[in-house]
Structure formats: C-alpha cells, structure tokens
Amino acid sequence: MYRELRATACAALVLIGMAGCASQPPESDSLYQALGEQAGINRVVEALLYRIADDVRIAHHFADTDIARLQEKLQEQFCVEAGGPCEYTGDSMADVHAGFDLTEADFNALVEDLIAAMEAERLPVTVQNRLLQRLAPMRADIIYR
Amino acid sequence: MNKTALCGILLCLAGSACADTGGRLLATGGVTNIEGSAGGGIVPWAVLSGYGTRDEWGGDAFATRVDTGDYRLDAFGASLAFNNRVELSVARQRLDMDALTKAAGLPHKSLNQDVFGVKLRLFGDLVYDRLPQVVVGAQYKRQTNFLIPSLVGAQRDSDTDFYLAGSRLFLGAVGGYNLLVNGTLRYSRANETGLLGFGGDRRDSRSLLKEGSVALLLNPRWVVGVEYREKPDNLSFAGESDWQDVFVGYFPSKRLALAAAWADLGEIATLEGQRGLFLSMQLSY
Ligand code: HEM
C-alpha cells in the first residue's frame, strides 16, 4: 500500500514537473561568464553564421538578409539571454521570422548548427545546453509564421 | 555487394556522410522497446519512431536480445511514423527457455508472440512548447504457441494493451545536462508481456500498471538512464516480477542507435533471480 502511494505520488510529481515554465530573465550572469563574455559570444555567433551559410537545408532563407545586422542582433540577443550587460535592439522574434514559413526541421537545423558552432568553440555540453534552454521557448514565435 | 557500396553504407550509419533522415534532433526518437514501440528498452515513451517532424515521415527497424542465462529473448521489428503524429509498428518476439524445458519436460522450447502497435501523439512536444509530449497507444498481441500458457492457466492467446505516456526533455536541467523524464500508464493483462498469454487463473481483468524512465544526456550522442516497468501477476503457478534496468544509449548518427542495459527481471515462470544483459540495435529512416 505504501509502495503504491509512493509510486502514484511520484508519477503525479513527474507529470506536474513536466509542464514547461515561462522564461524569465536569468538570475545571474553565470552563463554569460561561461560563454566567455561578449568575446566568446561573438565567436559563437560568427561560427554559427558560417555554418548557416554552408547548410543547404536553411541557407536559402537568408538570401536577402543583411548579415551584418543579423550578426549584431544575435550578439546582443545571446548576451541578454545569458544574463550579460547588454540590450537587445532588434525586432521581436515573431516579426522578423514572419512570412518565412519556417518549419520545425528548419528550426532544428539551426539548432544543430548552433550546437556545432559551440562544439567548435569547445564550450562544455552543460554550457551549450543552458544557452539552448534560453532560446528554446522562442520556437513558437519563429516557426510556421 | 561491392566494397564501395558497403563502405558507403557503413559511413552513412556511423556519421553524417549521407543526407540525414528527418528534421528532429538527434536521439529524440529514442530506441525501440521490446514490443516495437519507440521508447526505452522495456517501456514505450511518448516519442515517435525515427526523426520525422510534423512535415515528414520516418521510422525504425530494430533487433534486441536479452539473455539471462536461463532465458533468452529475441525481438525484432519495424515501425513507420507519419508527421510526428501516428506511429505504426510490428514486432516479433521469441523467448527461448531451454533450461525450463529440460527441467520441467515442456513440449516446446520457446514462447512466441507478434505485436502490432499504434501510437498517437495527442499534444505537446518533447523539447519545446509548454506541454510535455503526450501519446496514447495500443499494442495488439498474438501469442502464437499457446499450449504452454494454457496449461499454466492463461485465459486467452491474444489481447490488446492500452497505454498513455508523457515524455519531456528538460534542457540543462541537471547541472547543465539534459534530462529526459518519461511516465507511462499501461492497462493490460498480458503475462510476461504476453509471451505467457493474457489473463490468468488468479486474475483475468486488466490492471493499471505504472512504467517509467529517467535518462541523462551526457552529450547529444550518449545517454544513461534507468527504467522501471510494473507487471501484473495473473497466474498462480509462478510469480511475475516488475522489471527494471539501467541503460546506456549511443546515437552516432540519426541512422543508427545502440543500447545496452543491465536488466533485472526477477522471477519468470518459477525461475527466480533472472538478470542479464540487454543489447539492442536500431536503424532509422
Ligand atoms: C532559436 C532560434 C532563432 C533565434 C534566436 C533567431 C534570432 C534572430 C535574430 C536576433 C534576428 C535579427 C532580428 C532583427 O534583425 O531585428 C533574426 C533574423 C532572421 N532569422 Fe532568426 N532566429 C532563430 C531561428 C531562425 C531560423 C530557424 C531561421 C531559418 C532557417 C531564421 C531565419 C532568420 C532570417 C532569414 C532572419 C533575417 C530576417 C530579415 O532579413 O528580415 N531564424 N533571427
């Protein structure tokens, strides 16, 4: 009986815990530090842009994009999401990606490129995951718009 | 087959030398459980087989062996998943029981069954969005040599299991590592997953059974975890134990997955202390 109760309580906790939480600003700049501050973030963004340019799955979406602007906005955005001392001056995710009708696969392709970029910068998996965790909630504003 | 073609296939399986399968992230199709459904090794998860997104289709073929010394289970099968919404699967299981056959003078050396599965994603997403991914599924099972099960009290040679499963990958949840949590509720009267038939002299109605898995992703390719599967106990001739295992999964590419586990299966058909190695291989398309 006790075992039953314990298992049921555990199952309930698991289900409650599974519901995602809305993303709040980071409490500290520890991720910013772990990424190597702005210089480290800039290297990741650059490596990401090179990989996107070489990625036949998604490169075509960027054909008409002002890459210098994209680079600058991504640098700001990653800095903010990592808890760094920056301000994001770009447009909302929903606005910039509207009209591209990006798919789930497009989104994951970019995530794979980002992981490869962070891997190339030798960032630990734990740091990579924390940045991905900050960006993941944006997906709903980016795909199928 | 010539050498270059073989080499190409091997390269393709081991790395990214060929176009990748679907657009989902590596390892998000899990492996294949012994009943043919995408999941862990013994528990079906709320993920769909292969790597297809809502715009794609995919699937897996798998082969698994579990060897405890007294018993050896071989399972193989294939699945198709459409638009990350519906998964259809078929698996064949064969349990060799030489030790028991000799000791008890049984008329057959093995127990066999076929499993036809369907899984429907209800809502949610494994990685993104607010809600975890939740599926309902059914496994229609047909025991194909029913003499022994009928002699030990099993009531029928075919039946359907129903289950509800929820899975979520929490990014960076444990010290920065990604954590996968899965809970499954199964409604079943299958004895030893159905290899010993369905329903018994002790209990002939379905039971609500809890199953679960927790896995830690060491990196995108390596996963370690534990699984637990509650089992019914319908037959009076022997006890039926809950199952558990600890596993390692390796995903070198979206084409290939390998899993190894140490499984503790407890008492199976009067033989106690059944423990052994679980090995599984999966190809995805
Ligand atoms: C986590 C995922 C993503 C993040 C954080 C992100 C972030 C950004 C940012 C900060 C900008 C610049 C905004 C501005 O100019 O004000 C941008 C623009 C853009 N993004 Fe994304 N993005 C993501 C996913 C994607 C994906 C998957 C694609 C396509 C495969 C994509 C394609 C574009 C394009 C084409 C632009 C330029 C739009 C234009 O030129 O008007 N993005 N994104």
Side-chain angles (χ1 to χ4, degrees):
Chain A
M1 181 63 203
Y2 174 65
R3 216 185 112 221
E4 280 281 296
L5 267 178
R6 214 174 42 176
T8 311
C10 185
L13 272 179
V14 163
L15 283 176
I16 294 165
M18 275 181 189
C21 332
S23 149
Q24 281 124 17
E27 284 157 25
S28 79
D29 69 348
S30 71
L31 178 56
Y32 178 72
Q33 299 298 340
L35 286 167
E37 305 188 356
Q38 194 64 55
I41 289 172
N42 292 355
R43 283 197 301 274
V44 168
V45 169
E46 186 177 6
L48 170 63
L49 290 174
Y50 277 120
R51 283 176 194 270
I52 291 175
D54 285 342
D55 189 337
V56 292
R57 297 172 297 180
I58 54 172
H60 60 276
H61 289 299
F62 297 86
D64 299 326
T65 296
D66 175 351
I67 299 296
R69 177 186 160 100
L70 177 61
Q71 181 167 19
E72 181 189 290
K73 301 306 169 203
L74 282 172
Q75 290 171 351
E76 292 173 4
Q77 189 190 38
F78 286 13
C79 171
V80 171
E81 293 301 329
C86 308
E87 200 192 330
Y88 176 63
T89 61
D91 300 323
S92 78
M93 288 296 100
D95 286 346
V96 284
H97 299 100
F100 286 93
D101 198 19
L102 300 174
T103 64
E104 242 181 293
D106 290 333
F107 188 91
N108 287 335
L110 189 137
V111 169
E112 286 171 8
D113 291 339
L114 177 56
I115 292 172
M118 292 189 289
E119 198 65 38
E121 289 301 317
R122 297 184 188 284
L123 290 169
V125 169
T126 51
V127 174
Q128 298 178 23
N129 291 339
R130 285 168 64 202
L131 181 60
L132 294 175
Q133 187 234 333
R134 298 294 312 174
L135 303 179
M138 299 173 186
R139 189 181 83 143
D141 286 337
I142 293 174
I143 60 175
Y144 301 101
R145 285 176 174 274
Chain B
M1 193 186 308
N2 71 36
K3 257 193 203 147
T4 4
L6 185 67
C7 191
I9 290 174
L10 287 177
L11 260 177
C12 178
L13 294 176
S16 46
C18 56
D20 262 329
T21 46
R24 292 205 333 256
L25 294 172
L26 186 61
T28 57
V31 293
T32 308
N33 102 320
I34 48 170
E35 291 149 322
S37 306
I42 57 174
V43 176
W45 293 352
V47 301
L48 274 68
S49 67
Y51 288 99
T53 64
R54 74 186 76 171
D55 312 302
E56 302 165 331
W57 65 275
D60 294 324
F62 83 103
T64 295
R65 169 167 290 188
V66 191
D67 198 333
T68 67
D70 291 329
Y71 295 107
R72 196 181 75 205
L73 175 71
D74 284 300
F76 65 94
S79 64
L80 279 176
F82 303 94
N83 301 76
N84 204 21
R85 176 63 69 186
V86 184
E87 173 189 292
L88 302 176
S89 61
V90 43
R92 174 157 278 192
Q93 295 179 349
R94 172 194 171 96
L95 181 78
D96 282 300
M97 42 177 196
D98 291 354
L100 196 63
T101 305
K102 283 202 194 88
L106 297 177
H108 294 295
K109 277 206 215 135
S110 70
L111 294 168
N112 303 268
Q113 74 167 334
D114 296 331
V115 184
F116 302 90
V118 56
K119 189 192 277 188
L120 175 72
R121 183 170 64 82
L122 295 179
F123 58 80
D125 191 271
L126 179 66
V127 186
Y128 307 106
D129 301 345
R130 291 186 69 88
L131 293 172
Q133 185 157 315
V134 173
V135 301
V136 284
Q139 293 171 336
Y140 170 77
K141 301 172 171 181
R142 197 173 60 193
Q143 213 285 351
T144 52
N145 48 354
F146 192 58
L147 178 58
I148 293 172
S150 70
L151 291 176
V152 298
Q155 302 295 304
R156 46 183 73 67
D157 65 358
S158 66
D159 199 38
T160 306
D161 284 6
F162 300 94
Y163 63 88
L164 181 73
S167 302
R168 184 69 164 186
L169 183 80
F170 297 97
L171 292 168
V174 180
Y177 290 100
N178 297 343
L179 182 75
L180 185 130
V181 180
N182 178 86
T184 302
L185 263 184
R186 185 190 294 260
Y187 192 51
S188 163
R189 61 184 152 206
N191 310 316
E192 301 297 358
T193 82
L195 286 161
L196 274 177
F198 306 86
D201 52 344
R202 181 144 67 197
R203 179 185 166 94
D204 191 32
S205 53
R206 292 190 176 90
S207 318
L208 208 50
L209 306 161
K210 292 178 274 297
E211 307 178 1
S213 324
V214 179
L216 197 68
L217 282 76
L218 302 179
N219 60 41
R221 285 169 298 281
W222 287 93
V223 186
V224 294
V226 295
E227 287 189 289
Y228 176 80
R229 174 164 174 173
E230 191 181 18
K231 312 255 299 311
D233 197 5
N234 301 329
L235 299 170
S236 59
F237 90 105
E240 176 167 349
S241 302
D242 297 348
W243 285 355
Q244 45 218 330
D245 69 63
V246 291
F247 67 85
V248 183
Y250 176 49
F251 299 82
S253 75
K254 286 192 195 172
R255 292 280 174 198
L256 176 69
L258 302 170
W262 182 252
D264 181 354
L265 310 180
E267 178 182 353
I268 297 181
T270 72
L271 301 183
E272 296 189 24
Q274 297 302 315
R275 291 186 193 93
L277 197 61
F278 170 114
L279 292 173
S280 182
M281 186 176 101
Q282 167 181 289
L283 304 179
S284 303
Y285 32 85

